[in-house]
Every structure is written in C-alpha cells, then in structure tokens.
Amino acid sequence: MKVVLAGNPNAGKTTLFNALTHSRLKTGNWHGVTTRPYIKVHRGITYADVPGMYSFNGYSMEEASAAGEIKSADVVVNVVDGLTLKNSLSLTRAIVNINSCTIVYVSKLGALKKRGGRLDCAALSRAIGLPVVTEIAQLKELLRTFSLQKKSDCPQIKNFSQSAIDAAYYGGNLNFSRAEKLFYNKYFALAFFIFSIILMFFMAFFPGMPGDALKNATEWLITVKAGEAVKSILPEGKVQSLVCDGIIGGAGGVISFVPQLAVLYLFLTLLDESGIMSALSFVTDGVFAKVHLSGRAAFSLISGFGCTAAAIMTTRGFTSRTSQLRTVAILAFIPCGAKMPVFLTLLSPLFKNPFPAICILYFAGIAAALGACALFKGGGEDMLSEVAPISLPQPVAVLKKLYFYIKGFIIKVATAVLLFCIVSWVLSNFTFTFTPCEVEESMLASISRLVLPLFVPMGFDDWRLAYAMISGFAAKENIAATIGVLMPEGAGLSLASGIAASVFVLACPACVSAFAASSRQIGGKYTLKFLFVKLVVAFLSAYLIHLLLSL
C-alpha cells in the first residue's frame, strides 16, 4: 500500500513522515524545506512525503511533483494545519476529487488550543465526510483499516457542509501577538536579523566567547594531545607522518572548528524554529523585488549560510525560471558553513581578533549576491507562502536540528575530507615513481607549480597555497585541511595576500555537491556558464584587492 502525505506548505508533513517511518528528514518552519518527494517503506507500507502545495494547477515544480504522487496513491493523508484549517480544506476538496481514499490529519492542535481555539474531530468528520484524526496512533489504526479494503470502496465525497465545519472548528484569537506585530514590521525585522547575525559572529569568533574558547580547547585536545599520544606510540617515519600530519593535522584540524560551526547553526536554527525566518521572508518581499526576486529568496540566501547545495535545492519551489536562475547564480557569494574554517585559517594569524574581518566578509558576500542579482535581466516572481506564527523555539526541536547539522559536518570531514588529506599526504611524500622524497620534489609539488602562476597576482609564492585553493573546489573544508597537512607552521601570508585569498574563497564557485545540485535544478549548460563567470570574478576580485592593499 502506498500512502502519500500531502498538504499545504509548512503544515507538518515531514514531521509526521519522520514519526511514521522513524526517519530523520530535515524539517523547517518555512515554505520549501521539502523540494521533492521522499519515499520510504516501513512495515510493508510505502510512505511518500511530498512538497507542499496549494492546488493542482502546477504553480511550481514542487506542486507538479506532489500532484503526480497523489494521483498514484492508494491512500492520501491530508495534513491540515490546525491554525489555518478552513483555508487548508480547499486543498482537501481538490485532493478528494482526485483520490477519494483520503484521511485528514490535523496538526498543530496544541498551538490552536493555546490561542483559544477548539476542534471537534467527530463533528468535522461528519461535515466533510472523511475520517479526521489528531493522533499518530489513530492514524496508524486507520491505515491498517484502509489496507484491508479496495480503493473502490472509498466513499465519493461531493460537498462539504460549511455550516457544520463552522460548528466543529473555532480558530481562536486571530489577532497578532506583540511579537508578531514587531516582526511583521519590515524595519524591525531587518534590524533584528542584522543584529542576530552580528551577535552570532560575536559569539562564534570573538576572543573569549564560547565558540572561540571551545575551538581552542578542541584544537589543543586533537592536534596537540592526540598528536603527542600518537608520536609516543608510533616510531618516527612515514607512518607517523601520515597519522600526525596527514590525518590529525588535516582532518583533525578541521574538526576543531565544530564548536564555532555549532554556534553558527544554533542561531540559524533559532531563527527558523521561532518563525522569524518566515516573517523575514514576508517583510522583505518588497526589498527583494527591487532585485527581481521575491521574499522566498530570503529562505534560500539564509539557508546558504549553512550549505550552498541545500540552498540551491530550495529554489525548486520558485515559480519563475528567471528568478531561480538568479538565485542559484548568486548563492556562491553567500559564505556557507564550510567557508568559515577557511576564513579563520587564513585570517587568524593576521588579526588578534578576527571577528570584525569575518563580519565584513559575510556582509560583503550578501551585498555581492544582491548586487549581482540586480544585474540580471528579466522580471521577478509573485510570492505565495505560508507565514509561521512567532513563538519560542522548542528545545528538543532545536537540539535535534543542531545534532543533524553537526553530525553531517563531522561525517563529511571523517570521509571526504579525511580521504583527501590522505591523498594529499601521499602525493606530497612520493615522486611519480612512488619513491619516498622531500615535499619539494614530490609529484604534488610538480603538478601544483603548473597552477601557481594563477595565484601569483594574489601574492602567493608557495605552490602549497595554490594547491590548497584548488582543493577547495571539491569541498571548501579541504582548503583548511590542506594547509594543516602541508603547512603545519601556518600559511605565512601577508595582510594583502591573506585578505585577497579570503576574497577568492568568498567569490569562487561552491563545492562539487553544489555543482551537482545546480546541474539538477537548472541544467548543466547554465551551471557551467555560472561556474566560468564566478571563476573569473573570483580571480579578478582577489587580484584587485591584493593590488589595492599593496599600494
């Protein structure tokens, strides 16, 4: 039996899918988290979590994919937001016309009761002629019942009784709370967002703050204590060098940035779970319209602080092809979480307090993204999106998301980055005939010297730095890891070269994962075109910055 979970955006479909299938798909308090159908078989039942939709008219690519899954379903679980139930039932009518085997699951009942609302499930079920449940246990029991009957046995629903719906449901106090009145004011919302971002950087990067203190402690524990322990066990030689320089110095050094990334992700999660990100999207719609986008771009740009590939996937819900192309093109300018360790690796030796420099880089990335977007021709798009109510984040939900982000980063470092560090160490310790050698005579040195001239205008005179920059095209964490492997004494950059290198990392194309996501969403032709343009912009920007700072 195939069960499809469908409903309006931000109704709680993915949360229900996770509960039914014991999955851990990403959830969010905003429109566009689910960008394609997710399917999982659990205890003989095939569950499909589809993107949010408002109708079957194909308003976006997401809705088109959701409509296809609903038509092929044996049973549709229509997840209805309890706070907007009457509006949500218009989609229920459309679903029933396509697939009469439908169960209505009402979410956010606790929030409804909190604002003085009520719901009589039995009365609502009689009013619409469909089973209505609010508990997962009730839903599972109904699904077992549906599995024993034929699809033709489902009743054909013709009309909903509006008067009976009014009697069964009361939405409670619909007035905005004080917090909502504040955050739906575009000036306050923008000011609060900017303040939050600065506070996030302060807590993560300012000397003595939690992010910086924990990062130093983690770095000491991994690179110093673990390195000393390995050296006391392994005899001096290539094996010791591989473990200490290649693995601990490279991948281990990147792991030490986890506390600062945790602070970064914590703030982004709090903005999401509180509904502030959703409000920001709503109030910035007019601002983004000036650069031919809608407020939905705010979701993508803010998501870009975490992961560029994930942010690119959120553009699937855009209604305008031109707007999607614009957003994908500019997302590389938004510094993702993987770029943060690189900035710190390059700038920490140059600044006693890297906090102001990091802030400038991040805000420069946002400004460059919006500026580049304004250069694109073509119209914008209309915005149709749910606005989540402003509320205090639930600690459990925040911790789950934080765990999800940090776990993903650690897995990436422990797999892709670790493998890259080992390969880099091998290439830098052997000749083309695989004879052990000094690093300057290695095959890596020979290869990297070929690309070094591209980086000379940035003030680079060391092939190891050139190789580190090139390695970032696979994954940005590789830059910090490569510097840790090949240059344990530090990059040794001047102020002009360090800032030029940071600007290059800021402007250059994102990683392989982002390239693949872009190819899926906008096609290989546009992806390659944007890749070339970003490379040119990155090199020219870095050259210019180095020239100006060297005067």
Side-chain angles (χ1 to χ4, degrees), residues 434-457:
F434 284 94
T435 303
C437 66
E438 295 298 322
V439 67
E440 292 296 332
E441 300 171 358
S442 65
M443 56 181 125
L444 184 62
S446 301
I447 297 170
S448 300
R449 288 191 182 103
L450 297 177
V451 298
L452 179 58
L454 288 172
F455 296 91
V456 170

Side-chain angles (χ1 to χ4, degrees), residues 61 288 291-294 297 315-331 372-382 521-522 526 530:
M61 290 180 286
F288 281 101
V291 291
H292 315 298
L293 291 175
S294 73
T315 67
R316 182 178 173 83
F318 284 28
T319 59
S320 166
R321 171 70 169 173
T322 307
S323 295
Q324 184 188 31
L325 289 173
R326 285 195 195 98
T327 306
V328 172
I330 66 174
L331 275 171
C373 194
L375 298 177
F376 278 79
K377 296 179 180 180
E381 68 166 353
D382 296 326
Q521 296 305 313
I522 64 173
Y526 281 107
F530 293 155

Side-chain angles (χ1 to χ4, degrees), residues 12-18 23-30 32-36 38 49 265 268-269 272-273 277 299-300 302-314 397 400-402 404-405:
K13 299 179 296 299
T14 303
T15 300
L16 178 60
F17 180 86
N18 287 341
S23 301
R24 290 183 178 178
L25 293 183
K26 180 182 178 182
T27 61
N29 208 9
W30 45 277
V33 179
T34 303
T35 57
R36 61 180 178 84
Y38 287 94
D49 176 29
Y265 287 132
L268 294 177
T269 302
D272 176 8
E273 288 296 313
M277 189 184 294
F299 292 135
S300 301
I302 295 173
S303 297
F305 284 118
C307 175
T308 303
I312 289 172
M313 295 300 293
T314 66
K400 281 184 177 179
K401 280 195 174 183
L402 192 59
F404 176 85
Y405 286 129

Side-chain angles (χ1 to χ4, degrees), residues 225-236 240 244:
K225 300 304 290 184
E228 290 176 353
V230 169
K231 288 179 181 178
S232 67
I233 297 173
L234 297 177
E236 187 173 347
Q240 185 195 92
C244 293

Side-chain angles (χ1 to χ4, degrees), residues 152-166:
S152 58
D153 295 335
C154 296
Q156 299 298 314
I157 309 300
K158 294 184 178 180
N159 296 303
F160 289 178
S161 173
Q162 190 58 49
S163 59
I165 292 173
D166 293 338

